[in-house]
Amino acid sequence: MAKTTINADRCKGCGLCTTVCPKKILQLSKTVLNAKGYNPAEIIDMDSCIGCAMCAKTCPDCAITVEK
Amino acid sequence: MAVVFEKTRGLTDVATHYCPGCGHGIVHRLVAESLVELDVLEKTVGVCPVGCSVMAYDYFNCDFIEAPHGRAPAVATGAKRVLGDKNIVFTYQGDGDLAAIGTAETVHSATRGENITIIFINNAIYGMTGGQMAPTTLPGQVTQTTPYGRDVKTAGYPVRVCEMLSTLDGVYYAERVAVDSVPHINAAKAAIKKAFQNQIDGKGFSIVEVVSNCPTNWGLSPAESMQWLRDNMLPYYPLGVYKDKDKGGNE
Amino acid sequence: MSQQYMMKGNEALAEAALRAGCRYFFGYPITPQTELSAYMSKRMPKIGGTFLQAESEIAAINMVLGASSVGARVMTSSSSPGISLKTEGISYIAGSDLPCLIVNVQRGGPGLGGIQPSQADYFQATKAPGHGDLHIMVFAPASIQEIVDMVGRAFDKADQYRVPAMLLADGALGQMMEPIAFPDESEEKKLPEKPWAATGTKGSRKPNIINSLYLNPNKLEDSVRERFERYEKIKENEVLYEEVMTDDADLVLIAYGITSRICKTAVNMARAEGIKLGLLRPITLWPFPEKAIAKIADHAKAFMSVEMSMGQMVDDVRLAVNGKCPVRFFGRTGGVIPTPDEILQAAKDVLASVGGDK
C-alpha cells in the first residue's frame, strides 16, 4: 500500500510525472486550474500506486510526496 | 506508512520561476539533497550565475553569492581561498555562463585545481534571454540567433566541456550526466554527491555536467524535450566519467 | 622614533596593506604596479595569507568579490588598462555593498597608452568606476609616507561604510623610493565583525545572500537610495584635503597626487617672486573637497587645476567654484610630467588674464 500526494499549488502541469509512472496512474487534470493557471497532475488510481517515487524524482518542482 | 519521498530541507519553500518541465528544478533538488545527506548544508556557500538560474539563491537553503556573468568560478575561488576546509563552496552555472563568457574562469579554476564543486547545466541554449545560440548549441540546431540552424562554418562547433577540462592536470573529477529519465537522474545524483564528497575530502576541482532540457526555447513539450535530449544531445555529449583521479586519471 | 625604511611606493603600499590586516591579494601583472604583486607573492605565504595570480584582471576582481563576500579584508591592484577590465566587478562589488581595496597605479592612456605616470583615470575613478548609479571612495596620496598612512584608513572606511575604496596613485608614486615609517603596530590589528558575510548558516540563522540583483524596480531603487544615504554620510565626514597658503592667494592651484608636489614647488617659487599663489590638494577625490574650494572662491581671483591629463578634475573644481571666479587648466598628458617652471608660467598667464581686484 502506498500513497502519493501532489501539491497542486506547486505543480506546473509539465506532465513529466505522467510519462515515467510505471503504473500509468497519473494524468494532468482536465477540470482543475491552479492559482498559476496550470492543470496540475492528479492520481486516477491510488490503489495501484506502488510507491516507487519515480514521479517525485522526475518532478522539477518538488510537488510530490510519496509514502509507503 | 513511512515517507518514501518528500521535498528536501535543502531547498526553501519558494516556488521556482523556471518554466514547466525545466531540468533546473530537478538538478536543484539533487544538489540540495546531496548537501543535506552529506551534512554540509549549514556550511555551504553557493555561487549562482547569470542566466536562468540567476535567482538560485532564493531556492537553496544556504548562503549564496550572486556572481557577474561567467565569473562564478573566480568568485568561488576567492570565497574558498578564505574559507578553506571549514566550508563547502560550489557554483551552479549554465552553458553560456560557463562555456562562453566565463571560459577563462572555468578553465583556470580547473587548472589551478581549486577545491570547489561546479554544477554545470548544459541545455544547448541561452534560456533567460529567450533562446539564442549557446556555446553548446548543436550543429544545425535552430535558435533565435541561428534561425537557419547553427552553421559550423560561420558559428563554429559546440564546446564539449568535460572532454576539454579532462585534459587538464588540475581537474580531479569530471562526469557528464543527464536528467531525461529516472535512471539518469539517479546517476546524476550519485555524481553530484561524489563531486561534493571530493571537496569534503579536500581532493580538488570537481565538475558535473548535467545535460538538461529547455522545453520553452526548444519549442517542445516537456516530454518531447526529454526525447529530443536523448535523440540529439546524448549522441553529441556522451554520458560518463571523463576524469576521476580516484581511478588513476583519465578514463 | 619608529624605524625608518627606504622603500619603493608599490612595495610600501603592499607592506602597509599587510600591516593593516589584509591577508588576501588577487592580481594580474601590469606595469607600473607589478612590484606590488611581486611583494605580495613573496610575503603572503610567510604570514599565512593568500596571493593568487589570476588569469585576468576580470578574474582577479571577482576573486576579490568572492573573498569579500565571505568577510575577508581583501585587495587587488592594477594599472589603468587593467582597471578598465575590473570595472564590471567593481560595479557588482559596489552593488553588493562589499568592502575592498582597489589600487590603480595610473599610466598614460587611452588604450594601451604608455607606462609612464598619468592622472587620466580621474573620470573613471570618481564618475564611472562601473556601470550603474554608484560611487567608490577614492584616496589620492602624494607621497609614499602618505600611501603607507592611507592604506589602513582606506580598508577601515570601506568596512565602515560597506563601500569599496580605491587608492589612486600613479606610475611615479609606484616606482619611486622614499624614506618611510610604518604606523604603530604594537597592537595586533583587530578587524570588524561582518555578520552579513556568506560564511554558512551554521544552522543558526537565515541564509545570507550577497547580491546586486533586484528585479522589482521599487526594491532596486530602495537599495540604491539606501546606498546613496551612506554616500551622503561619506561626503559629510570623510573629505580630506590639504591647503597651502590659500588664505591670501590670488590664484589657487588645485592638484592631487604627485602633481601636487610639483605645484608646491611652483607655489614656493611664486611666493619668492612676490606672486600670491596657493594650493589646495584634494586627498580624497571622491568625496571631493567642494566646500573647501567654494570657501576659497569667495576671496581668490582664480583657480587653476593642474593635472597629468587633458583636464578631468577641473570639471569638479568648476562645479565647486560655481561661477564665482574663473577656473583655468594646465596639464600634460601621455606620461609627461609637468615641471614647476611651466606651472609657474601658466599661473602667471592666468593671473595676467584675470587681472584686477576681487
Side-chain angles (χ1 to χ4, degrees), chain C residues 96-116:
Chain C
S96 305
D97 298 316
L98 295 170
C100 69
L101 177 64
I102 303 141
V103 175
N104 181 1
V105 184
Q106 295 173 89
R107 58 188 254 183
L112 206 45
I115 58 171
Q116 297 299 321

Side-chain angles (χ1 to χ4, degrees), chain A residues 1-3 10 12-16 19-20 36 38 51-54 56-62 64-68, chain B residues 1-7 11-22 25-26 29 182 185-186 222-223 226:
Chain A
M1 180 168 157
K3 185 182 165 200
R10 264 187 103 85
K12 291 174 185 161
C14 74
L16 288 177
T19 67
V20 298
K36 291 197 182 78
Y38 297 120
C52 67
M54 300 269 271
K57 286 182 178 174
T58 202
C59 176
D61 295 286
C62 290
I64 303 176
T65 305
V66 182
E67 296 162 277
K68 198 171 173 180
Chain B
M1 284 200 290
V3 172
V4 178
F5 186 100
E6 63 182 344
K7 184 180 80 65
L11 294 173
T12 64
D13 288 330
V14 177
T16 70
H17 71 287
Y18 300 121
C19 302
C22 172
I26 301 172
R29 174 176 71 76
V182 174
I185 291 170
N186 288 339
M226 292 304 188

Side-chain angles (χ1 to χ4, degrees), chain C residues 14-344:
Chain C
E15 179 61 30
L18 298 177
R19 291 174 188 233
C22 175
R23 289 294 177 275
Y24 300 92
F25 179 93
F26 303 96
Y28 186 87
I30 182 168
T31 306
Q33 68 77 53
T34 307
E35 297 84 356
L36 205 167
S37 297
Y39 191 90
M40 289 295 193
S41 71
K42 199 159 48 177
R43 289 279 288 130
M44 280 295 195
K46 306 277 188 198
I47 57 173
T50 293
F51 164 85
L52 199 161
Q53 181 172 322
E55 61 270 27
S56 69
E57 304 288 2
I58 298 169
I61 192 69
N62 282 287
M63 290 170 189
V64 169
L65 190 160
S68 181
S69 294
V70 301
R73 177 161 279 197
V74 57
M75 69 178 289
T76 186
S77 68
S78 189
S79 179
S80 309
I83 298 294
S84 291
L85 285 172
K86 289 187 195 292
T87 55
E88 174 197 57
I90 292 171
S91 175
Y92 279 74
I93 287 169
S96 305
D97 298 316
L98 295 170
C100 69
L101 177 64
I102 303 141
V103 175
N104 181 1
V105 184
Q106 295 173 89
R107 58 188 254 183
L112 206 45
I115 58 171
Q116 297 299 321
S118 166
Q119 295 179 321
D121 298 347
Y122 179 92
F123 279 155
Q124 185 189 50
T126 62
K127 312 291 182 196
H131 64 277
D133 271 326
L134 71 96
H135 287 289
I136 60 176
M137 290 181 282
V138 183
F139 295 87
S143 69
I144 299 178
Q145 182 63 56
E146 196 170 40
I147 288 175
V148 164
D149 295 338
M150 200 174 273
V151 168
R153 181 184 180 86
F155 274 120
D156 290 344
K157 293 298 170 189
D159 280 342
Q160 181 183 339
Y161 293 102
R162 289 183 66 181
V163 168
M166 175 178 277
L167 205 143
L168 190 67
D170 61 68
L173 284 167
Q175 293 298 321
M176 70 189 195
M177 296 180 87
E178 286 186 310
I180 50 155
F182 289 100
D184 179 31
E185 62 217 57
S186 52
E187 281 182 40
E188 195 170 329
K189 187 86 187 172
K190 199 170 181 323
L191 302 184
E193 294 287 315
K194 295 177 179 174
W196 47 263
T199 53
T201 65
K202 298 171 186 69
S204 61
R205 59 160 169 77
K206 284 183 178 170
N208 281 345
I209 311 294
I210 307 294
N211 182 28
S212 64
L213 175 69
Y214 298 84
L215 289 179
N216 178 326
N218 291 314
K219 286 194 172 159
L220 177 56
E221 187 182 47
D222 287 347
S223 87
V224 173
R225 284 190 185 282
E226 186 281 323
R227 197 169 299 116
F228 269 70
E229 284 169 19
R230 273 180 280 141
Y231 292 164
E232 282 306 311
K233 289 202 178 83
I234 293 170
K235 284 163 107 172
E236 274 169 39
N237 301 315
E238 307 300 343
V239 176
L240 296 173
Y241 60 90
E242 179 193 0
E243 287 185 74
V244 181
M245 289 182 270
T246 54
D247 286 349
D248 65 340
D250 290 328
L251 175 64
V252 176
L253 307 179
I254 312 284
Y256 72 94
I258 196 73
T259 310
S260 70
R261 292 170 66 171
I262 308 166
C263 286
K264 261 186 201 173
T265 305
V267 166
N268 289 333
M269 288 162 61
R271 291 280 170 169
E273 293 180 27
I275 300 167
K276 288 180 179 173
L277 203 56
L279 168 70
L280 185 139
R281 172 172 79 92
I283 299 173
T284 54
L285 300 181
W286 197 95
F288 191 69
E290 54 198 23
K291 286 178 189 163
I293 291 172
K295 205 171 148 203
I296 297 169
D298 289 335
H299 60 78
K301 286 181 185 162
F303 287 84
M304 184 170 82
S305 185
V306 183
E307 307 171 44
M308 288 194 289
S309 75
M310 292 303 286
Q312 300 190 11
M313 181 174 68
V314 64
D315 286 4
D316 282 335
V317 179
R318 286 201 180 99
L319 286 170
V321 170
N322 199 18
K324 288 180 193 166
C325 61
V327 176
R328 301 288 167 80
F329 171 74
F330 179 79
R332 300 297 303 268
T333 194
V336 181
I337 299 170
T339 65
D341 287 325
E342 60 188 0
I343 292 170
L344 179 57

